[in-house]
Amino acid sequence: MQNKLNTTGVGNAIDRVEGHLKVRGMAKYASEFVVPNKVYAQGINSTIAKGEIVSIDTSEAEKLPGVLKVITFKNAEKLKAFDKKMSELSTTSIAPVLQSNKVHFYGEYIGLVVAETFEQAQYAARLVKFNYKEDKNPAINFDKSRGKAYKPNEQSDYSRGDIKAGLAEADEVVEVTYNTPIEHHHPMELHAVIASWDNGKVTAYASQQIVRDATICISDTFQIPKKNVRVIASFVGGGFGSKLNVERHVIMAIMAAKMVGKPVQVTVTRPQMFTNTGMRQSNEQKMRVGAKKDGILTALSHETLSHTSPTLEFQEPCGMVSQMLYKVPNNLVTHRLMPMNLQTPFAMRAPGEATGSFALECAMDEMAWKLKMDPIDFRVKNDTQMDLSTNRPFSSRLLVECLHIGAEKFGWKNRKMQPRTNKNGNWLIGYGVSAASRESPYLKTYAKVILALDGDTVNATLQMDATDIGTGSYTIVAQTTSEYLGIPVAQVTVQLGDSDFPPTPGSGGSWGAASFCNAAMAACEKAIKTLKANRNIKEEEEVAIVDLLKQNQLKAFEAEGSAEPSEAFKNHSVFSFGANFCEIWVDKDSLMYRIKRMVNVGSAGKILNPKTAYGQIIGGITMGVGMALTEQTKVEPNFGNFITRSFGDYHVPVNLDMSNIDVVFLPEEDKIANKMGVKGIGELGITSVAASIANAIFNATGKRMRDLPITPEKLIQAGMEVGVSA
Ligand code: MOS
């Protein structure tokens, strides 16, 4: 049942329902909860990349007033250890910490100081002295680690057809390698936790994207029953993947709470956000593309080399995009990993697609140039409605429409194919395009709706353990509840981020919107269905929820619903698609550049709220600009520490770096994807942005920039002459 007059329901660009809480500082992040008697702790980081701790002097720290405990491997609680030498990092993995004297990377946690105040803990942490037996040959150099490269598992490789034959029959071959650096997520809200231990029961206010998975990690790590762990993340100030799993400050806080008998707060510092809360590893992606003169692809291979830590394995699936995006009969995708003495990388916004699409979409542009074909025509020619990697049709795929509508909006027809021919005074002007695709998963999700009748008004509360990581979950769930109960959003309260609420997959992998909203819809429908059945009202009869409650003589009623992928979903490949366009101006004297404008066209099913969806896309694009032009974490070549460890040297684009961004959503409902026809957009926005920029830089300068970030300095290295007229 839908209320046709409801202007706050699904599809409307309403303001965020939690907006007023945010601007008044009332939306509480993890470290802002008032927990009586809480004390503070500060993690201590190793200052070597590899070796062993041989002695520890805690005496000076322990003498300080306020210091309650110094915890190191010597006195730490015993935690569950990994069963295998190399375990896979996931959102539910255990997170043992302070269990041995071994150091695996620079910045690894080796201790924790607990004190009455934050300042005491910070100061005392600096006074704990560690003596090491240092291994002088840590694996901190990408090139020198090549010999250690290994194939993580059978799924790391994929092939169809015959890549050699495909390359042999090609008229043109592009064979190039792209490099992307280590990157860090850096959400504005620092990772934080306030943990209590009460007779074997844990309560943790923690900045986590998936509270249910956090309870699994915590209970497994401490070997306590899952029902004894409650994780609360009412509001999360950004995550981008860094808060998907439980990082070790959470475990240290719980351990400390148990040891000192008081709730313990740990707020990770910004420098620790480089060393202890995940990162995107650097990737070397070797591409081979073969095509006939007429632009038909004959071969595509995508081979990725990345690194992981010595103890935990994470593999970013960079090559996945090359398996499914184009109609190419001969395809090879491989992934290799090298263990290095750096922290374990993990998912960062669009893991796989963000980096993989940079390599693929630049290589496609290189091939189009070789063929003297328009890069849009080249892509359209190789479009496919079948996912050849799974032999399943796409549930919907409007990639060609995204490219064509984007071209129209952007004014692509004014592009000059020959580089360095579009000029304005001192500026070389380039246009670039790229295609984007991002898988749109959908996972089993539960929701509960609680109805309360107050006179002639029905108020509804919708509960689920979903999180809002700044994306707008509260708002779209409120809109869904409003829509399917037929009441205004003002009468809906949404409660999220508590593992005591019905379970959801949390926020990650662009599955949030579809999963949460379909479950919220199911709960509302269940309530209405039950209330009708109780009074023998036909299902198709439209009765307002207020009348249903009255006819049932109920003041209050609650119902649970759940949603999960259908058979149709499983028989299709479900992806969101998009196209990115970029105009860049490069100053030919300084080689400094400005992005002048960007156009993004997305097809992501039904758009629940154009305003929050727009926020997701421009946020993703901004991260894509950072990836293309500014963001890079540098490893010190001798000691393995990160040289970049603040926003002073890790450059995230700010408003002044950005330009006009036009975002267009194609009107669409993908009913195969799920009942509401919704697909993910959180990660689509970053995907292939870097390629559109690199391709625009080629169009402006004639230089192929294959190493990110593309800095003016690299343009000079590529042979651009400074101060010489083009
Ligand atoms: Mo995302 S990298 O699954 O938060």
Side-chain angles (χ1 to χ4, degrees), residues 695-706:
N695 295 340
I697 288 178
F698 172 75
N699 186 240
T701 66
K703 298 293 176 195
R704 284 290 175 193
M705 304 308 294
R706 303 187 183 103

Side-chain angles (χ1 to χ4, degrees), residues 209 240-241 244 347-349 351 508-509 683:
Q209 293 177 225
F240 311 114
L244 283 171
M348 178 161 156
R349 202 170 195 167
E683 293 172 307

Side-chain angles (χ1 to χ4, degrees), residues 411-486:
W412 184 254
K413 64 178 190 304
N414 298 325
R415 174 184 185 257
K416 299 195 166 51
M417 192 188 280
Q418 185 68 34
R420 304 174 77 96
T421 50
N422 189 357
K423 296 177 204 170
N424 185 339
N426 224 35
W427 297 96
L428 298 169
I429 301 170
Y431 287 13
V433 67
S434 60
S437 64
R438 161 71 209 180
E439 198 178 1
S440 185
Y442 169 47
L443 302 163
K444 179 132 196 183
T445 302
Y446 296 82
K448 182 198 268 187
V449 67
I450 303 161
L451 305 173
L453 184 64
D454 178 9
D456 285 332
T457 304
V458 175
N459 292 308
T461 302
L462 195 293
Q463 286 182 340
M464 52 168 68
D465 81 2
T467 49
D468 189 327
I469 57 174
T471 46
S473 309
Y474 277 105
T475 307
I476 57 172
V477 172
Q479 287 179 273
T480 304
T481 309
S482 149
E483 175 90 23
Y484 289 96
L485 291 178

